[in-house]
Amino acid sequence: MPPVSSARFAIGDVVRHRLFDFRGVIFDVDPVFANSEEWYEAIPEDVRPRKDQPFYHLLAENAESSYIAYVSQQNLVADDSDEPVDHPAIGGLFERYAGGRYKLKAAHRH
């Protein structure tokens, strides 16, 4: 098993993709890559991330739509816009937005 890196971000943090124009709120974290090989191989090799790092599940948005994204730690940066994310699933997972992050509803905490 590969060594596990420390997660730089936490559930509720708002982040931006480093290369592509989208942002989102983190709703789950995998300590290392945990998606399909087919998904991984579909990423162009010149931008394909390492598997031995945290991967984040995001309620994501761009100018055209809202969706779920799966993004490596190396491709995320903190979003400092202090703007909430406009995704229809946020209300089901999070209580409120304050101080640049979302608070997870008690029913979803471990």
Side-chain angles (χ1 to χ4, degrees), residues 32-108:
V32 293
F33 178 78
N35 207 334
S36 70
E37 278 304 307
E38 181 180 42
W39 182 92
Y40 188 75
E41 293 296 325
I43 300 169
E45 197 169 344
D46 61 327
V47 294
R48 193 176 296 155
R50 298 180 334 273
K51 291 182 177 181
D52 65 341
Q53 62 182 313
F55 276 73
Y56 300 86
H57 300 261
L58 307 178
L59 298 177
E61 67 176 358
N62 61 26
E64 291 83 39
S65 65
S66 297
Y67 52 96
I68 303 291
Y70 190 65
V71 185
S72 64
Q73 182 163 277
Q74 76 187 58
N75 284 322
L76 290 177
V77 295
D79 180 276
D80 58 4
S81 70
D82 203 29
E83 294 288 325
V85 174
D86 185 23
H87 192 286
I90 285 177
L93 292 172
F94 298 99
E95 290 179 2
R96 66 180 184 275
Y97 176 77
R101 63 185 326 273
Y102 285 87
K103 182 177 180 186
L104 194 62
K105 286 185 174 182
H108 299 294

